[in-house]
Amino acid sequence: MSVVFGDDGRGRVHGAVLQPDKMTGPKTDVVALTVELTLEGQVVWADRAARSLLGNGEPVGPGIDWFEHCADPEHRAVHRREIGRLIEADNDRPITFEGRCRAADGAVHDIHWHAVIIRDADGPAVVRLTGALLADSEDGRSMAAALEQLLDLRYAIDEASIVAATDRKGVITYANDTFCAISGYSRDELLGRTHRIVNSGYHPRSFFKKMWATIGRGQVWRGDVCNRARNGSEYWVATTIVPFLDRKGRPYRYLAIRNDITARKRAEAALARAVDELEAANQHILEEQSRLLQAEKLSSVGLLAAGVAHEINNPLAGTMACVKQLRDGKVPERRRETYFATVLDGLERIERIVSALLSYARPTASDRDRVDVTEIIDGCLLLIRPAMHKGRVRVVHARPEPPEYVVGDRQQLMQAAMNVLLNAVHASPEGAVVHVGHPVEGDRAAIRVEDEGPGIPEADIDRVCDPFFSTKPEGTGTGLGLSVTLGIVQGHGGELHIDRAASGGARVTLWLPRADGP
């Protein structure tokens, strides 16, 4: 069935006679007509179908009394009652009713009416009647059911959403109760105004410029908009704007359907703040961890300082003696090369010790790379040699062949190994041996240190990595060494394991990811 509607340019739809499209069976003509009345029942406008069909001896036009000239005398009370009910409700909710009308030729027609109050910004409120007249009773019932469904849909949308209609310039011509409730403005305050009345200033002009460009092209626009209510509070709405187009494809009306998403936006903002706070807290933790690492490193440097100074003084004294002999010309020509070689050897030894100490103590950004575990131990042994000499402790290093590489930051891994080696040397009695090895299991390799000291009591093994816990005499340790070591190892995706060695001493194993896999 072909359905064709016209528009009078003011957003009112002309009725039309609807003809079946090449259908079999009895012919069914459907007539749709629209009339607008004052609240007192005077006709202010009628479309072509209404003008040609209705009117009891007088054409339907402005000023005609609807109840006297159009309603069938037997149904005038029905028309008055239903339209009166609509006006008294004063809530913009449409109604439907069956109302009989008298035609110009005297015929009587049963018409299914859809009635709604239209509050147009250009004039007073009017009652708009849209009717469907069908010759066939079965089609009449179908049309009535369809109109009833449309009415129910509109009511559901009005109840669930914020609905507003505007003309092509954006002037509000319809606002439902939900719009009034959330904005705090009365309907009279909204009608005839644009949506600038609820503009919060949150969005830049370019935001609305893009919106108008989209709907001006006849396209549907969707987006989230922050509005401001009359009391100054802000509320967010998920908005869909649908343009209605004339026969030339130009928008003549816009319908905006919005849903309140203020709670969701507040939750999102709270979540964003929580994420920012967590990121700030995490950054603070990383900074504190870095300071703690450096503090523990400097503490170790303090423990090493005296021994390192002695380690430097020995070659320095020999070097100075050789240089003095050479300067005074007291060295025979045949022995000058030997003296120069001694000076060079002493300086290189000092340079190695100082470089190792600076490399160990200097703070640097974490840099993961392939690290040779043998080089880590060699660097540590160079620095703890004085402590070894003082305690008369030997370190036996079982070097892996071929070299074993792990993934990590060289300085941090050196600090972890240094803490474990110093603990082993200090815990060992005179003449003891500290063993260093590198077992491998699948995709991980280890730095394992075993001493011949008294070991760690079973009751303390689970506590030795706690910050500030120490088994050393008071004043000889910070209690941070193994805590820092645990943090470094775990930060590299590894594990720290502490148990008892075969000798009865402590065995500490630093498991780290292998660089070259199993």
Side-chain angles (χ1 to χ4, degrees):
M1 181 175 291
S2 299
V3 182
V4 179
F5 291 97
D7 188 270
D8 68 345
R10 294 179 293 167
R12 297 183 292 202
V13 179
H14 286 294
V17 178
L18 312 180
Q19 299 286 351
D21 294 330
K22 297 181 180 180
M23 53 190 296
T24 59
K27 178 180 178 181
T28 303
D29 290 347
V30 182
V31 178
L33 58 159
T34 302
V35 180
E36 290 184 357
L37 314 176
T38 66
L39 299 185
E40 292 75 27
Q42 303 297 312
V43 175
V44 294
W45 178 85
D47 66 4
R48 285 188 293 271
R51 291 197 301 269
S52 64
L53 180 67
L54 301 179
N56 186 13
E58 186 176 355
V60 176
I64 294 297
D65 188 292
W66 173 260
F67 304 111
E68 294 296 328
H69 293 277
C70 298
D72 181 70
E74 295 182 3
H75 265 230
R76 284 175 186 163
V78 174
H79 282 260
R80 291 184 185 275
R81 182 185 70 243
E82 295 300 324
I83 293 176
R85 180 167 65 90
L86 173 69
I87 295 171
E88 289 177 5
D90 192 30
N91 59 7
D92 290 337
R93 180 183 174 184
I95 65 170
T96 60
F97 66 95
E98 301 293 335
R100 187 175 299 165
C101 288
R102 180 78 61 177
D105 59 2
V108 176
H109 300 287
D110 288 324
I111 302 177
H112 184 85
W113 292 104
H114 173 280
V116 64
I117 293 180
I118 302 297
R119 305 179 187 278
D120 199 314
D122 297 331
V126 297
V127 175
R128 178 174 293 174
L129 296 175
T130 302
L133 169 64
L134 298 97
D136 182 82
S137 60
E138 183 177 350
D139 282 347
R141 288 192 297 271
S142 298
M143 178 64 80
L147 290 175
E148 193 69 33
Q149 288 178 2
L150 288 174
L151 179 62
D152 290 342
L153 286 174
R154 176 186 167 175
Y155 176 69
I157 292 173
D158 270 342
E159 288 296 310
S161 302
I162 304 160
V163 182
T166 74
D167 62 16
R168 69 181 65 197
K169 295 182 180 179
V171 176
I172 299 171
T173 59
Y174 172 79
N176 71 346
D177 291 341
T178 311
F179 188 7
C180 297
I182 195 170
S183 69
Y185 290 99
S186 69
R187 188 170 287 104
D188 288 340
E189 290 173 313
L190 291 171
L191 296 180
R193 304 284 296 273
T194 68
H195 279 82
R196 291 191 185 94
I197 192 173
V198 291
N199 190 335
S200 66
Y202 178 87
H203 303 281
R205 289 185 178 181
S206 58
F207 178 85
F208 293 107
K209 186 176 180 180
K210 291 179 180 178
M211 180 198 76
W212 275 105
T214 299
I215 61 179
R217 292 191 299 267
Q219 299 174 345
V220 176
W221 181 87
R222 295 179 179 86
D224 296 344
V225 181
C226 179
N227 288 336
R228 178 174 285 117
R230 184 172 189 170
N231 63 6
S233 63
E234 292 183 348
Y235 63 94
W236 281 86
V237 286
T239 304
T240 300
I241 301 177
V242 181
F244 292 91
L245 309 180
D246 59 22
R247 291 183 178 180
K248 295 182 180 180
R250 297 174 302 187
Y252 67 87
R253 180 184 299 153
Y254 300 105
L255 180 68
I257 301 175
R258 304 178 176 91
N259 290 291
D260 183 9
I261 56 170
T262 305
R264 190 193 81 190
K265 285 291 185 178
R266 288 174 179 169
E268 290 174 352
L271 179 60
R273 287 194 299 271
V275 170
D276 290 342
E277 291 172 1
L278 286 174
E279 289 179 347
N282 184 57
Q283 182 62 33
H284 179 70
I285 290 172
L286 292 176
E287 292 173 357
E288 289 299 319
Q289 185 182 41
S290 178
R291 282 194 284 269
L292 182 63
L293 287 171
Q294 189 62 16
E296 172 59 19
K297 188 184 294 184
L298 293 177
S299 174
S300 299
V301 170
L303 295 174
L304 297 170
V308 169
H310 177 75
E311 193 75 3
I312 292 175
N313 281 335
N314 283 339
L316 183 61
T319 299
M320 291 178 64
C322 289
V323 170
K324 185 177 180 180
Q325 291 290 322
L326 290 168
R327 183 194 64 186
D328 294 341
K330 296 180 179 180
V331 180
E333 186 67 31
R334 68 179 183 276
R335 299 188 61 191
R336 289 174 67 87
E337 287 300 323
T338 302
Y339 271 65
F340 278 121
T342 302
V343 169
L344 184 60
D345 181 69
L347 292 176
E348 287 177 347
R349 183 179 176 187
I350 294 171
E351 191 273 335
R352 286 195 301 273
I353 296 173
V354 172
S355 294
L357 187 61
L358 289 176
S359 177
Y360 174 70
R362 184 185 299 115
T364 61
S366 179
D367 184 20
R368 302 290 173 90
D369 202 353
R370 295 175 77 252
V371 181
D372 187 344
V373 293
T374 301
E375 291 182 1
I376 293 175
I377 299 303
D378 287 346
C380 292
L381 293 180
L382 186 63
L383 293 176
I384 69 170
R385 186 176 299 164
M388 294 161 53
H389 290 167
K390 183 179 180 180
R392 301 181 184 278
V393 175
R394 289 191 306 117
V395 174
V396 176
H397 184 199
R399 297 170 176 270
E401 290 293 340
E404 190 63 51
Y405 291 88
V406 295
V407 178
D409 179 271
R410 187 181 186 280
Q411 281 197 336
Q412 289 187 6
L413 294 181
M414 186 174 176
Q415 181 177 359
M418 179 75 75
N419 290 336
V420 176
L421 282 168
L422 277 176
N423 285 344
V425 170
H426 291 156
S428 298
E430 288 189 5
V433 177
V434 173
H435 295 272
V436 180
H438 304 285
V440 173
E441 289 183 359
D443 59 354
R444 63 180 189 169
I447 296 174
R448 174 172 289 169
V449 178
E450 301 181 21
D451 63 53
E452 296 178 351
I456 302 173
E458 286 290 333
D460 292 338
I461 284 182
D462 292 335
R463 303 172 56 205
V464 291
C465 290
D466 292 346
F468 306 111
F469 178 85
S470 178
T471 58
K472 297 177 182 178
E474 186 175 351
T476 60
T478 64
L480 293 174
L482 285 178
S483 175
V484 169
T485 299
L486 176 63
I488 291 173
V489 172
Q490 290 180 339
H492 283 72
E495 295 179 6
L496 174 63
H497 185 71
I498 302 174
D499 58 2
R500 184 173 293 276
S503 63
R507 180 170 65 180
V508 181
T509 307
L510 314 182
W511 288 105
L512 298 164
R514 295 177 71 187
D516 302 320

